[in-house]
Amino acid sequence: MTAQSPSPVFTAQFNINDQEFSLAGVLRPHSTAEIADDLLLLRNGIETVSGVLYVNLKRVTHMNSTAFRALTRVLVDASRLRPEIKFVVVASSVVAWAARMFRHLSDLSPNIALEIYDSAFYPGQTFVENKSFIPILRTQTKMTWRHEREILPRHGLRNGMVIADICCGIGDFAMLVRKEFGPARIVALDHSSPSLDYARDVAERFDVRDIEYTYGDASQMLFESDQFDFVTCRHSLQIFDRPELLLRELYRICKPGGRVYITNEKNSHCLGEPRADSIQWTYNEVAKLFSHFDMDVEMGPKSLRLLLDAGFEAVKMESFMVTNLDGDPQEFADVIAAWRDVYAGEMSVRRGDSAEFIERFKQGFADHIFAALHPKGYAGWPIWAASGRKPL
């Protein structure tokens, strides 16, 4: 059962299959009467459910006190009339007011709970926010950009487009796209405050004022649907435990006829020479390590299937190898050293690996660095780039 609110600025829906009442948009009624139909929809929904009822506020950007009081009144009354039901209010940390306003509901009724949806949604976020890792992301982007600046036009990026860079990290890719392709508008969103702080600081130092850096949850974005010509999301699907949710959002915000561009890795295909066997063993273990934390750094070749399953058409896919021969070999070595410090450091320790394993794990990275810096050596890091068009 689904119903639409009469207000043009927000929607209210009840999904009986998910037992979920959801609100989205700006909820600022002058009186309770303005949202009476929506409250009735909620009351009627409560009568049909058993077990758990979810109240989804992930996309509510604003809510005034009139709406808050009316909604909580319905929930508190219902929780007392039907104590066998658990009421779960689901909010996102992106709209911090929601957590503040609703966190006291459980004091009014013990069978009402608040759940912060995205608090544990990004299993890899704590690792990529490692302070020693953030600066190296600039070097990574610099090395991949040598390839991507040529690849992106083949995937449809043109001057003057409206662009969104989702999971923008420290913002360097948005900065490079802005300089190279002169977008009409560019928005860069990430769920990491330290990364966005870094991005804004760099932009300020370079006097760049037209990149809209935004804090947000990539799986529940507050952007309107169908508004971007070109949406990028690089190296991020692979660190989500539910990449299909992120792809669904990328699809939603892309205009019909626009394209979504993604990049992902296959870490077990990292290679080097000399000491190839040691290097190969370590990167096979990297893939297993990420899998332990519900991340898939083997995702690159799966991009075609992922985009088609998400509803995209005219999918284009190619791969490229970042190597020590692309520029300064020391830059490649610096990237590997950063990987070693995080993967064989915090991640391996948190998994509970033995000292013997960690020592051998580190040796593979050391051998990769050796190969990168050896005058006759070769070291490679493969990446898959793919894009799909949203049907008209």
Side-chain angles (χ1 to χ4, degrees):
M1 182 169 65
T2 297
Q4 294 293 320
S5 155
S7 169
V9 294
F10 75 94
T11 60
Q13 298 181 328
F14 179 73
N15 184 312
I16 193 168
N17 294 325
D18 296 335
Q19 298 197 163
E20 179 182 80
F21 174 76
S22 58
L23 292 167
V26 178
L27 199 60
R28 286 173 169 164
H30 296 295
S31 68
T32 303
E34 289 183 33
I35 56 172
D37 289 346
D38 308 295
L39 297 175
L40 179 60
L41 179 66
L42 173 58
R43 289 192 187 93
N44 290 339
I46 291 170
E47 292 180 2
T48 68
V49 303
S50 58
V52 179
L53 173 80
Y54 295 97
V55 178
N56 179 346
L57 304 178
K58 289 179 280 188
R59 291 191 192 279
V60 175
T61 56
H62 297 88
M63 176 182 286
N64 67 10
S65 58
T66 300
F68 172 75
R69 285 197 299 269
L71 179 62
T72 55
R73 186 74 267 161
V74 171
L75 291 176
V76 170
D77 287 349
S79 70
R80 290 169 179 167
L81 288 171
R82 298 198 62 190
E84 78 281 10
I85 295 180
K86 182 178 181 182
F87 296 84
V88 178
V89 177
V90 185
S92 168
S93 67
V94 172
V95 283
W97 59 264
R100 289 199 304 271
M101 291 175 74
F102 286 96
R103 68 185 176 190
H104 300 299
L105 275 178
S106 58
D107 296 333
L108 299 174
S109 178
N111 53 331
I112 302 179
L114 173 66
E115 177 180 298
I116 302 301
Y117 165 72
D118 49 338
S119 61
F121 193 70
Y122 305 90
Q125 181 156 320
T126 58
F127 302 121
V128 298
E129 283 184 357
N130 184 301
K131 288 186 178 179
S132 67
F133 201 66
I134 286 180
I136 209 68
L137 294 175
R138 299 201 74 186
T139 305
Q140 286 192 180
T141 301
K142 179 181 176 182
M143 298 182 76
T144 59
W145 181 249
R146 297 187 182 105
H147 301 267
E148 290 188 271
R149 67 184 301 182
E150 297 179 1
I151 288 173
L152 284 162
R154 293 201 289 272
H155 289 260
L157 184 56
R158 302 283 184 269
N159 286 0
M161 284 184 159
V162 178
I163 299 171
D165 183 28
I166 306 305
C167 303
C168 68
I170 60 170
D172 278 8
F173 184 74
M175 191 81 79
L176 292 165
V177 166
R178 169 190 172 275
K179 183 178 180 181
E180 184 80 13
F181 294 95
R185 180 190 176 204
I186 183 165
V187 176
L189 177 144
D190 203 275
H191 195 265
S192 165
S193 295
S195 295
L196 286 173
D197 290 344
Y198 191 96
R200 292 187 178 110
D201 181 58
V202 171
E204 184 175 345
R205 281 190 277 123
F206 292 170
D207 197 27
V208 172
R209 303 179 186 282
D210 53 356
I211 298 177
E212 302 170 38
Y213 290 111
T214 303
Y215 177 68
D217 175 3
S219 67
Q220 291 285 333
M221 288 184 275
L222 301 179
F223 298 139
E224 298 290 334
S225 301
D226 305 329
Q227 63 168 298
F228 295 102
D229 300 305
F230 200 83
V231 179
T232 62
C233 186
R234 301 168 58 261
H235 304 311
S236 297
L237 289 168
Q238 62 188 21
I239 62 169
F240 273 75
D241 58 355
R242 286 170 285 176
E244 68 282 357
L245 294 183
L246 179 50
L247 272 172
R248 190 165 67 193
E249 278 294 274
L250 301 178
Y251 183 96
R252 184 183 66 79
I253 66 172
C254 185
K255 287 180 182 176
R259 294 190 78 86
V260 168
Y261 169 89
I262 61 174
T263 63
N264 290 290
E265 303 165 69
K266 185 173 177 66
N267 261 255
S268 64
H269 281 204
C270 284
L271 51 82
E273 183 64 39
R275 304 180 182 177
D277 290 346
S278 169
I279 295 167
Q280 184 68 66
W281 180 86
T282 282
Y283 285 98
N284 283 332
E285 293 301 323
V286 168
K288 296 175 186 174
L289 178 65
F290 274 75
S291 178
H292 175 81
F293 292 103
D294 296 323
M295 296 181 276
D296 183 6
V297 288
E298 299 288 89
M299 184 175 285
K302 304 171 186 173
S303 301
L304 173 64
R305 173 174 56 80
L306 287 168
L307 288 167
L308 290 173
D309 288 349
F312 292 97
E313 62 183 16
V315 173
K316 298 179 180 180
M317 185 165 163
E318 55 189 298
S319 61
F320 60 94
M321 182 76 81
V322 177
T323 79
N324 60 324
L325 306 181
D326 286 349
D328 183 353
Q330 187 60 54
E331 291 184 342
F332 194 102
D334 290 344
V335 169
I336 306 307
W339 292 354
R340 176 200 60 205
D341 293 345
V342 175
Y343 303 167
E346 181 183 358
M347 292 180 73
S348 223
V349 170
R350 195 182 297 184
R351 187 173 61 169
D353 293 337
S354 68
E356 292 76 14
F357 174 88
I358 291 175
E359 194 61 32
R360 185 180 178 189
F361 200 30
K362 286 181 177 177
Q363 186 59 51
F365 293 113
D367 290 338
H368 207 198
I369 292 170
F370 179 80
L373 298 177
H374 193 285
K376 298 179 182 177
Y378 180 81
W381 165 36
I383 295 171
W384 276 257
S387 71
R389 183 175 65 205
K390 182 175 179 177
L392 291 171

